[in-house]
Each structure stands twice: as structure tokens, then as C-alpha cells.
Amino acid sequence: MTCIRTRSRRASRTAVTAMAVAGALVAGGCSSDGTPGRSEPRSAGPSGAPARAAGSGLPPLPAHLARQRLDWGDCTAQDAGPAGFTLRPDADCTWLTVPVDYAAPAGSTLRIRVARVRARDAERRLGALVFNPGGPGEPGAALVADGAFEATPDVAARYDLVAFDPRGIGRSAPLHCPEGNGSDLIPRTAQQADAEFRAAAAQGQDCRRVTGALLGHMDSVSVARDMDLLRAALDEQRLNYLGVSYGTFIGQHYARLFPDRVGRFVLDSVVDPAADQTAVARGDMKALDASFASYARTCAANACPLGRTADEIIARTTQFVRALDAAPLPGPDGSRLTTGIAAQGIRGPLYQAEKWPDLTLALADAMAGRPGALIGLAAEQIPAAGVRRPGAPPVDVPADDPTMPRNAVDCLDRPGPRSASQLLSYVGEFDKASPLFGATVAAAMFHCAAWPIAPTGRAEPVTAPGAPAMVLVSFAVDPATPLDNAKAVQKNLGGSVLVVREGTGHAAYGGGSECTDRAVDGFLVDGRLPPVRVDCAP
């Protein structure tokens, strides 16, 4: 069996969290010999370097940006990834310089961290395969440098595996946004909603003051342009790309901007650009309910301590979680389990069925008055203040709010509600539609509502006329990116195909389905486009 996977840090678009957690919660592209197409892009400069900063009306890039070459060297734990990670001996790293603002490319710049593991079969090398793990807000360089992103023997032999930390994230001029003073409880009254809105606005302004101009250029269109500079610096005429979750959003915008530079594109766990923040929240809510129902059925079939039937498990869990805001459970080291933190603790394991037993034990313990494990599951998603892993010393709690890079991207990419009163109405509406997850999903929109910079993106379908067909991949039931997203995007990206993996999870490629992996690997390695729709066993 072959697979591409990330070990221990599965890519995910965890866009909805508790207030304390989220904000306070392609046939074509191939030449006749089956290798990735390398015809000169019509708008490219020498060696494939972009002659312009992609997009009508934008000024040309300075030569030192457009024609830069990468100076690869040893990766170090200090500047390639988080403290404590272990480097692969065959990994090397470098920096790519990009403009902060592509409308003013001669102005301020920032450095993007890039990591690479070279193709093992240099004589048959197909080029570079650029990987983005999603988020938004997930750094990619360390996933390559420490081996968490693993390729099949065929893919690793034929491609350089390349990943980068998007602007403002990881080691790429990371944002340093102070923690906020919002409540970790779901706002239920106008007074609570106003207070939460003011706290979110204050934190956003603090982040803007510390970060400066970069905060207004954290959008995914800018990241897509960064990827084209990376493509040129790698000396690739076309970009071969594996985007997971929110990485599919970036990939779609790249294809829109650079249709003649698209090589072999695989978009796994697809985000729909046509949805605004409210529509995304509604989809998340439904997807989480469907995923938890799948979990409950599995648990009930295996002597579940939470109940005898799926309905009983859902009802008991819902009643327990909803009661936590009125009576939070004290946890270790001064932590406490609230509705939002419990919802996040439940959400995380839904991405991977192999973690469902951990969820069962954590829920059973919490219902018995021992919330430490469930708080720990929430902290595994985002180690924010107030959601510290039980037993971790206070020094491990970062001074910066780690949720803010994701907010910075989300709030620019999509329009959404902009008032406390509108959000309060959504809390009530969503709570009725999904008693387990609804209020938490709605409350996660508070930060973007109060964000100091208006969104620059629009909620509309992304098309890429002239781009080669892509391969879209999805679980049948996904707690973050529903299958309907992939179906909608397939219609917009003409000629693209869809591989559907049965079962529940997130990031369907590289997780144990031989059929799924074979379909995608055949495309990446041999240029074979699967049929329009492929259905695979779990």
C-alpha cells in the first residue's frame, strides 16, 4: 500500500473553536511522455520567473524578487520548526523573499521559510511537489524538515518534497499578537455579546499595532502569489501542488491567477470559496453533527460507556456539554472545562477515527468529574491560554495568542457578520439547529466581526479557465470540509475529477485507503487522470 501522510500532525482546517480557543472558538498539465508539463508560461519571464506580480494592473516585481534563486543549507531546530522537533538528515532549508504588498512590490519585504527533501531518484526526477497543510495558520516547513509529511516510495523517488510557512506563520515573519481579555463562555445576552465584541476589537487593534502592515496582507491571494515566486525560484515552469484543507483554498486561487502555470494539482478536503463566513459556519455545524453521529454509532457498536445507542450517546453528550457554561468543571492547574472548550475537545478527534477511543475515554472521565483528558484534547488542537495541557508548567503557555494568525487569514479572505447583535442572533439560531456544536460555531465568528481590517476577499466561486484538470479528494463524511464542498468546486474547475473515500475523517489521501492513494499517486507520478468520480473503501 502506498500513501502520503503527515505523521502525528494531521492537516486540518480547525476554523471553529470555543471562544477561549478560536478567538477567544488535473488530464492536462502533462506532456506526451507523461511527465509534468514544462511549456513556457505565456506571462513568465526568463526561467519561468514571474514578469509581474500576477494579476491585472499590478506593477512588475523588482528583478531581485522575480529572479531570485534559493540558497539551500542545513536546517536547524531554531529556525526551521518548533522547539524540540527532530530534523530529517536529508532535509535542507532556505528563505524566499516576497513583498509584503504586491501592489507596492518595491516596498517592504518579508522572508518565507522553505524546507525540502530531495527526490531519491535524481535521474527520473519530475520536479518539486509543493505541499501546504492548511489551517489556515499551519506552518509547512517543519512538516517536511522533521519527516511528519511522508511520501510514498514512488512519490519520494520522483519529486523533491517542498513546503513553506505561509506569511505571518511559523518562521515566516510570525505574528506576535497579545492574548485577549475575552470570556471563555459562550455569549448568551446582549451585554455579554457587546463585551465579547469589545474584547475582540481591542485584541485585533493590539495585534495591528504590534504587527504593522503585514496584518493587512495575510490573505490567501497574497500567499498564492508567494507560491508563484517559490515556483520560479525552484526553476519550475509549472507548479505541482498538494494542498490539504485550507491549502485547497490557496490552490484554487493560484489556479485562477496562474492557469498556465498549473501542473499536477491535488486538492484534498476541499474548501468552497463561494461560501462566506456564515455559510462556512453553517456547513461546519452540519458536518460536525454528522461526524459526531458517525462516532456515536461506532461507539454504540463497541460497548460504549457513554450509552447503549447512538441517540443516547448524542443526547447525553449534548446535555453534558450544554451545562458546562453554567457550571464549568475545574481541571488541573487552574484550568476549567467550559462548553466551548469541551466542543473543541470533541471536535479534534473527529478528524481521525483512530482517535475515537481517546475521545470516548475523555468524555467518560469528564462526565465523571475528571475533565483533564478532554481539556487536553482541546489543547492539542490549539494550545491557547486557558486551554493549557493539564500538568504543563505555566512557562509553556505562550505570551502570544496562537489563534491570531488563523484569524488574520480568515478575516481577510471572507466577508461575514460585523456586529455583536447580528452574532448574538446567530448564537441563538445555531444553538437551536445544533444543540451540541451550534453556539460554539457561531461564537467563533466574533473575532472577524470585530477585526480592525475589512475583508479583501469575496465569497464567490473560483474558476480557472485554461488550467489543466485537477484531482479533488474528500472523505464521504468530513467534520471540517463537507463532501458538498468538493462537488461544488468540481463544477467550477472544469474537467477535474473527484475521489471520494468512504467513512469519516479529514485529509483523505494518505491515511490507509489503498484505492484513494493509488488514484492520487497514479496522477502525481504517471500523469494518469482518474475517472470523473472514484469511490473508494475507507
Side-chain angles (χ1 to χ4, degrees):
M1 181 180 67
T2 60
C3 66
I4 285 184
R5 60 192 176 94
T6 53
R7 186 181 68 244
S8 77
R9 276 181 282 167
R10 293 284 295 179
S12 61
R13 197 195 71 85
T14 51
V16 180
T17 56
M19 296 301 291
V21 180
L25 219 150
V26 347
C30 296
S31 63
S32 59
D33 64 356
T35 59
R38 286 182 169 270
S39 59
E40 183 73 20
R42 292 186 296 273
S43 56
S47 298
R52 288 186 175 270
S56 176
L58 290 177
L61 290 169
H64 72 280
L65 296 180
R67 299 178 182 177
Q68 61 188 298
R69 285 295 175 260
L70 301 175
D71 183 17
W72 295 99
D74 290 340
C75 300
T76 66
Q78 183 177 3
D79 65 5
F85 86 112
T86 302
L87 285 166
R88 288 180 56 148
D90 55 348
D92 47 8
C93 292
T94 191
W95 298 95
L96 175 77
T97 302
V98 303
V100 171
D101 181 359
Y102 278 88
S108 299
T109 62
L110 62 94
R111 296 199 307 166
I112 300 295
R113 191 58 169 166
V114 184
R116 174 187 68 178
V117 173
R118 293 189 228 192
R120 294 170 185 165
D121 186 346
E123 292 185 358
R124 298 196 303 152
R125 176 183 176 275
L126 294 172
L129 177 64
V130 175
F131 168 68
N132 182 283
E138 286 287 334
L143 294 177
V144 163
D146 73 357
F149 172 57
E150 295 181 332
T152 69
D154 284 346
V155 171
R158 306 295 295 278
Y159 284 99
D160 294 346
L161 306 179
V162 177
F164 64 100
D165 294 351
R167 51 176 53 213
I169 293 161
R171 299 293 172 178
S172 299
L175 301 187
H176 294 291
C177 298
E179 295 171 355
N181 294 314
S183 170
D184 60 354
L185 304 179
I186 305 295
R188 303 283 185 177
T189 68
Q191 183 178 8
Q192 291 171 342
D194 287 341
E196 193 61 47
F197 189 89
R198 289 194 301 270
Q203 186 182 20
Q205 291 291 356
D206 286 344
C207 186
R208 187 178 193 178
R209 183 177 63 254
V210 173
T211 301
L214 176 58
L215 196 67
H217 301 282
M218 290 283 292
D219 57 286
S220 292
V221 171
S222 293
V223 176
R225 292 186 171 120
D226 294 343
M227 285 207 309
D228 197 56
L229 272 180
L230 176 59
R231 173 204 59 79
L234 290 167
D235 199 24
E236 298 285 336
Q237 297 298 328
R238 295 187 180 183
L239 178 71
N240 303 307
Y241 179 70
L242 170 58
V244 179
S245 201
Y246 210 80
T248 70
F249 186 91
I250 299 168
Q252 289 174 70
H253 279 290
Y254 183 94
R256 174 180 64 84
L257 292 168
F258 310 101
D260 53 355
R261 301 179 194 176
V262 171
R264 294 175 183 172
F265 264 45
V266 177
L267 307 181
D268 182 3
S269 303
V270 184
V271 173
D272 183 3
D276 63 10
Q277 289 175 19
T278 304
V280 169
R282 292 185 194 279
D284 282 345
M285 176 177 63
K286 293 178 181 178
L288 285 167
D289 279 340
S291 297
F292 190 78
S294 180
Y295 155 78
R297 288 192 293 270
T298 300
C299 193
N302 291 277
C304 185
L306 305 177
R308 293 170 297 176
T309 67
D311 287 345
E312 183 179 347
I313 293 166
I314 294 169
R316 186 181 177 195
T317 303
T318 300
Q319 182 180 13
F320 170 73
V321 170
R322 289 176 63 87
L324 288 171
D325 270 1
L329 278 179
D333 308 313
S335 62
R336 66 177 189 170
L337 184 67
T338 62
T339 294
I341 294 173
Q344 178 62 13
I346 294 169
R347 177 192 179 112
L350 293 180
Y351 288 97
Q352 296 174 263
E354 58 264 35
K355 290 190 175 181
W356 288 2
D358 295 338
L359 175 58
T360 300
L361 293 175
L363 279 172
D365 276 356
M367 291 177 186
R370 301 182 299 273
L374 192 55
I375 294 172
L377 289 176
E380 286 179 9
Q381 304 305 302
I382 305 171
V387 200
R388 179 161 45 93
R389 287 183 180 86
V395 71
D396 285 351
V397 180
D400 296 330
D401 187 333
T403 69
M404 295 303 278
R406 181 171 60 230
N407 291 331
V409 178
D410 269 335
C411 299
L412 287 179
D413 276 352
R414 302 177 188 268
R418 297 291 288 180
S419 72
S421 59
Q422 189 176 13
L423 281 167
L424 184 61
S425 70
Y426 282 132
V427 170
E429 175 193 335
F430 282 33
D431 194 30
K432 292 179 181 178
S434 171
L436 180 54
F437 295 107
T440 302
V441 170
M445 292 190 284
F446 265 85
H447 254 287
C448 285
W451 200 245
I453 304 171
T456 55
R458 293 178 292 183
E460 58 186 8
V462 168
T463 59
M470 307 175 195
V471 173
L472 313 180
V473 190
S474 178
F475 266 104
V477 180
D478 189 314
T481 52
L483 175 59
D484 284 346
N485 287 5
K487 292 178 179 178
V489 170
Q490 185 183 23
K491 293 178 182 178
N492 300 326
L493 298 177
S496 294
V497 305
L498 176 59
V499 178
V500 179
R501 177 179 172 179
E502 293 302 318
T504 301
H506 188 63
Y509 175 44
S513 168
E514 184 174 0
C515 166
T516 303
D517 298 345
R518 183 172 59 246
V520 176
D521 282 352
F523 174 67
L524 284 176
V525 175
D526 299 321
R528 297 193 308 268
L529 197 69
V532 173
R533 164 102 180 218
V534 178
D535 291 284
C536 290

